[in-house]
Each structure stands twice: as C-alpha cells, then as structure tokens.
C-alpha cells in the first residue's frame, strides 16, 4: 500500500487528479470507477481544470458508477448518477454512452445488480477505482458486515448512513432505505485502488481502517488485502495513525 499524506484538502485533490490524469494519459481506454460525496469534489474540479488544457483528456475512457440509491426515478435530481453528471461528467463533456450506470428505478434489485456486474465485465477490466470512506468504514455502500468477496448487489442502508444522507435528501424519512453498490469482491478486481480521505472527522475511521483488525465490521479494512492501493489522506485525517506501532507515515 502506498500512503501519501497531503498538506490539506486542496493538495489531496490535486494529487488525486494527477493520479487519474497520468492513467488517462498512459492508456487508450482506461476504465475508471467514480465515487460521489464531498471528498472527491476537489479532485473533479482539478480534473476539469486539466481538461481545459487537454481537451481530449477523457476521450476513450469508460466510467463506472460506484453506487446508487435504489427505487428512485432515474431523473430524480438526487440520484447519484445525477450528482455525478452535475459535479463532473457534463462539464467534462463525457458522453452518457461512456458511463456504466445503475438503473435506479429497476423493478428487481437482484436482477439489476447482476446486470451491472455483467456490464462491468463487458466494459473491460477496471483500471482504477476511486473510493471514499464513510464514517462507519463503508466503501461505496458496502456497509459494516460486507464480506471481502461480496458481489455487486442491492443493500439495506444502515441507520448511520441514512442519518448522514439526510441532509442531501431533505430529511431522514426521505432517504431511500436501499441502495446499489459495486461489491467489495467486484472492487477487488480493479488493477489499482485510490482511497481519498480528508478531514479530522475521518481520523478515527481511517485509524480503524489502516491499523485495526481486518474485519467485515469495518469494510475499508479489506483494502489492506489488495495489491495496488494508494491512500491519499490529508494531515487532519492521518492525526491518529502510527501511534501504536502501526505503519509509520512518510
Ligand atoms: C459515494 C460513496 C461513499 C462515500 C463515503 C464518504 O459514492 O460510495 O462510500 O465515499 O460515504 O463520503 P464523503 O466523501 O461525503 O465523506
């Protein structure tokens, strides 16, 4: 595992964008898993700046949605696909045909998850998965209890995830109770994984993820079993690392 300590959020965002830009520049058709949330916003802004200089930076690339709420209209502005379009894809001029999305309104969640797993297979190998981490250690919507080999599937959101999504949905009651996520097993097939972690609020869970016991109760600990993982975390997020004989940071 490569661990990069960024000075602050802006530095983290620039470094993350640079990792993706290098990949985009080195492969004709890279396949990239994209997350939503607050953490990657700065990276998306940096990528858009790079696209102003290199207008074909995203041509040929394929993108895969990491997760999505279930049982909502596909044009619901709160869908994560809509969030990704507004925050990045539209301004980057990335065509919808280059993006593999969950169908949030699919009537049968299990069938939709299998369709997505097959679609990922046909999109090609995943070259890089960009991930954030939830306060409960979730990766995508792989909530605590998710097995390291879990497939892409429909899941129940935990009360903590429902609470942390309440602001986005307007109230806790409005938050969908189920969501789709690429499974940890699906994500483990990526050639490379990039985990972004920012802020003091994430210090405790990053500590558990990096230095605690590997357990499905903290799904992010599964990253320690993968081969090619880069963590970019800012100084606030790494505050609790390396205190108990865990990995020293450099
Ligand atoms: C988003 C996702 C989530 C977030 C996590 C952290 O697509 O899969 O796992 O990465 O909840 O969210 P932020 O970045 O908002 O703290």
């Amino acid at each position: 595992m490569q661990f990069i300590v960024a000075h602050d959020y802006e530095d983290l965002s620039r470094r993350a964008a640079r990792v993706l830009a290098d990949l985009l520049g080195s492969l004709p058709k890279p396949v990239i898993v994209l997350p939503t949330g607050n953490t990657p916003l700065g990276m998306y802004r940096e990528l858009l700046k790079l696209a102003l200089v290199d207008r074909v930076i995203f041509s040929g690339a394929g993108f895969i949605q990491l997760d999505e709420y279930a049982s909502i209209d596909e044009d619901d502005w709160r869908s994560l696909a809509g969030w990704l379009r507004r925050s990045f894809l539209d301004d980057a001029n990335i065509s919808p045909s280059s993006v593999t999305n969950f169908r949030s309104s699919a009537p049968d969640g299990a069938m939709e998850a299998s369709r997505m797993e097959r679609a990922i297979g046909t999109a090609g190998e995943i070259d890089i998965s960009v991930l954030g981490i939830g306060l409960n250690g979730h990766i995508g919507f792989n909530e605590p209890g998710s097995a390291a080999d879990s497939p892409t599937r429909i899941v129940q959101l935990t009360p903590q995830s429902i609470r942390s999504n309440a602001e986005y949905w307007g109230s806790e009651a409005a938050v969908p109770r189920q969501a789709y996520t690429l499974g940890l097993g699906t994500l483990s097939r990526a050639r490379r994984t990039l985990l972004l972690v920012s802020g003091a609020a994430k210090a405790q869970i990053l500590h558990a993820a990096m230095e605690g016991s590997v357990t499905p109760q903290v799904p992010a600990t599964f990253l320690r079993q993968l081969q090619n993982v880069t963590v970019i975390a800012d100084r606030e997020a790494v505050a609790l690392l390396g205190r108990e004989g865990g990995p020293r940071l450099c």
Side-chain angles (χ1 to χ4, degrees):
M1 182 178 286
Q2 186 192 12
F3 206 110
I4 297 169
V5 181
H7 294 295
D8 53 23
Y9 180 67
E10 283 66 38
D11 186 31
L12 173 150
S13 301
R14 278 192 298 273
R15 286 170 184 259
R18 179 45 55 202
V19 170
L20 286 192
D22 287 349
L23 181 85
L24 286 157
S26 65
L27 294 176
K29 292 183 173 190
V31 175
I32 301 173
V33 170
L34 293 180
T36 57
N38 291 319
T39 313
L41 276 172
M43 174 191 77
Y44 290 136
R45 280 194 293 268
E46 291 298 325
L47 283 172
L48 290 173
K49 282 191 218 163
L50 294 177
L52 290 176
V53 181
D54 176 359
R55 294 193 168 272
V56 293
I57 187 171
F58 301 119
S59 64
F63 299 91
I64 297 173
Q65 182 181 18
L66 173 59
D67 47 9
E68 180 59 281
Y69 298 106
S71 305
I72 59 166
D73 286 347
E74 271 155 51
D75 57 4
D76 189 316
W77 71 270
R78 295 163 300 189
S79 75
L80 295 180
W83 186 100
L84 261 182
R85 279 196 300 274
R86 286 191 303 279
S87 306
F88 176 55
L89 299 171
D90 285 353
D91 288 339
N93 282 323
I94 292 170
S95 129
S97 62
S98 305
V99 186
T100 305
N101 279 322
F102 287 100
R103 294 180 188 150
S104 56
S105 63
D108 183 323
M111 275 178 66
E112 173 54 15
S114 315
R115 183 202 64 80
M116 189 67 171
E117 191 86 83
R118 284 194 305 276
I120 295 167
T122 54
E125 297 291 313
I126 299 170
D127 292 296
I128 193 164
S129 294
V130 185
L131 306 173
I133 182 172
L135 291 174
N136 62 1
H138 74 200
I139 291 287
F141 275 130
N142 290 282
E143 299 282 34
S146 298
D149 62 355
S150 52
T152 294
R153 65 203 186 287
I154 187 163
V155 297
Q156 298 290 336
L157 295 188
T158 59
Q160 185 168 17
S161 288
I162 291 171
R163 270 197 301 281
S164 55
N165 282 274
E167 197 181 332
Y168 184 64
W169 281 86
S171 71
E172 265 186 52
V175 180
R177 274 18 191 188
Q178 291 188 311
Y180 293 104
T181 186
L182 300 193
L184 297 181
T186 315
L187 291 167
S188 71
R189 302 203 305 262
R191 292 204 172 89
R192 185 172 179 190
T193 302
L194 179 62
L195 176 71
L196 307 180
V197 194
S198 173
K202 295 283 174 73
Q204 203 164 0
I205 193 60
L206 184 61
H207 173 243
M210 295 295 124
E211 296 175 2
S213 315
V214 174
T215 165
Q217 289 319 312
V218 183
T221 56
F222 110 106
L223 295 170
R224 288 172 25 215
Q225 299 170 331
L226 303 187
Q227 285 305 316
N228 194 3
V229 178
T230 302
V231 182
I232 308 182
D234 61 20
R235 285 202 286 217
E236 289 185 347
V238 303
L240 300 177
L241 294 188
R243 295 179 162 197
E244 295 143 16
R248 295 293 317 166
L249 303 176
C250 46

